[in-house]
Amino acid sequence: AAGGAEGGNRPDADVEAPTFWRYVVTALSSVLPEVGAAVMPQLASGQPVPVSLLATVLNDIASVEQEVELVLDDYHLADGVEVSEGMTYVLDHRPPNLHVVISTRADPRLPLSRLRVRGELVELRASDLRFTGDEVRTALARVMLQMTFLASQAWEMAHAIGLTLVRDGVTQ
């Protein structure tokens, strides 16, 4: 999407804060060149990332008119104390046009309760993504019926399968 950036998807499990923020700012600047130009030299130095640097990036984002989506995939690989502190600052001070999506295998070290209370957090847990047994049977029945119709012109066979599914209670 225009204005979207993906960062944080790193193969190593020991991403330090300067490296993490360099990836994030690089991703943002790849779609919004005006974002982060002033802070890249400091990020490239590998020195600790001060809050003022993150504030500059947030101000850059606030100055653009479009919505900005920052997607951080596999965040658990970079969820160290320094990264978490910086991300908490970003979430607490983000401009209204910045939307952050975090994908992680474990709860991040972020103030999730505070974000929930403020209505700023939408969570999708594994239980939200699981199919029930009935949903699996219905989906498989639909796929099998479609495959039967597509794979052959033997409408009698498709009709017989359909009747069997209806008889067994799979009607959708």
Side-chain angles (χ1 to χ4, degrees):
E6 182 173 343
N9 185 6
R10 306 283 65 91
D12 55 339
D14 189 22
V15 177
E16 294 183 14
T19 302
F20 174 82
W21 292 112
R22 189 174 71 244
Y23 289 145
V24 168
V25 173
T26 299
L28 288 166
S29 67
S30 72
V31 292
L32 298 166
E34 62 272 28
V35 172
V39 302
M40 282 307 283
Q42 187 172 354
L43 287 173
S45 74
Q47 297 299 313
V49 179
V51 169
S52 61
L53 185 140
L54 298 176
T56 300
V57 173
L58 293 175
N59 288 335
D60 289 350
I61 293 169
S63 71
V64 299
E65 294 182 16
Q66 68 191 79
E67 298 294 307
V68 178
E69 297 87 23
L70 174 63
V71 178
L72 301 172
D73 190 17
D74 290 336
Y75 183 78
H76 58 279
L77 297 177
D79 191 26
V81 173
E82 289 179 46
V83 169
S84 300
E85 289 171 355
M87 185 55 64
T88 297
Y89 178 84
V90 167
L91 294 173
D92 285 344
H93 297 90
R94 68 177 183 78
N97 65 326
L98 174 61
H99 309 282
V100 180
V101 177
I102 297 175
S103 166
T104 181
R105 294 182 184 196
D107 282 350
R109 297 176 197 174
L110 298 172
L112 300 180
S113 297
R114 185 171 67 222
L115 295 169
R116 276 187 207 105
V117 168
R118 294 191 310 207
E120 297 177 352
L121 178 67
V122 176
E123 294 177 274
L124 289 175
R125 301 277 180 171
S127 61
D128 299 318
L129 302 175
R130 286 191 192 111
F131 288 109
T132 65
D134 286 341
E135 290 169 330
V136 170
R137 281 188 289 281
T138 299
L140 288 176
R142 286 181 183 166
V143 168
M144 292 304 296
L145 194 56
Q146 289 173 356
M147 287 174 48
T148 301
F149 283 129
L150 293 174
S152 76
Q153 297 301 317
W155 66 270
E156 296 94 354
M157 185 171 76
H159 184 72
I161 290 172
L163 288 174
T164 302
L165 293 173
V166 169
R167 183 192 71 219
D168 291 346
V170 180
T171 59
Q172 296 184 356

